[in-house]
Amino acid sequence: MAARMGLHLGLDVSHGYPTTAVTLRGELDLSTAPDLAKLLDLLLATGVLHVTLDLGDLAFVDSRGLRAIASCRDAFVAAGGDLAVRHPRRLARQLLDVLGLAERVPVLPEAAWA
């Protein structure tokens, strides 16, 4: 089995009120999900309670990446905040459904993307 050369995960944070936006680029998978979790933990620890993750620039996402998002959302909700995603590609939407995470990870409607 040939090893797949992975891309790194780029994370751009745009602080806003009341929601902080995080744009993800590259790949969100087993090796990069901890990077996202660390960033989201840091945001939560510094008092950020509302986060939107923009998945539109992800080249690849797997089940580990989406499970990390769901776990982070649970932490935000437990702290009285929320975490949602926007611009998920078709594969990400399908994985959310197949993994049973669609109810735990809200996808913002197009009207909220502007």
Side-chain angles (χ1 to χ4, degrees), residues 7-68:
L7 298 173
H8 72 285
L9 177 65
L11 300 166
D12 294 321
V13 178
S14 177
H15 293 282
Y17 183 81
T19 301
T20 294
V22 179
T23 300
L24 288 72
R25 290 181 329 284
E27 294 187 357
L28 181 59
D29 57 19
L30 173 65
S31 65
T32 61
D35 297 334
L36 176 62
K38 285 178 193 173
L39 173 67
L40 294 175
D41 287 345
L42 177 63
L43 290 174
L44 193 55
T46 59
V48 173
L49 292 177
H50 302 281
V51 173
T52 300
L53 301 178
D54 188 334
L55 309 182
D57 290 335
L58 280 178
F60 177 79
V61 62
D62 71 4
S63 63
R64 291 286 205 148
L66 292 177
R67 288 182 203 280

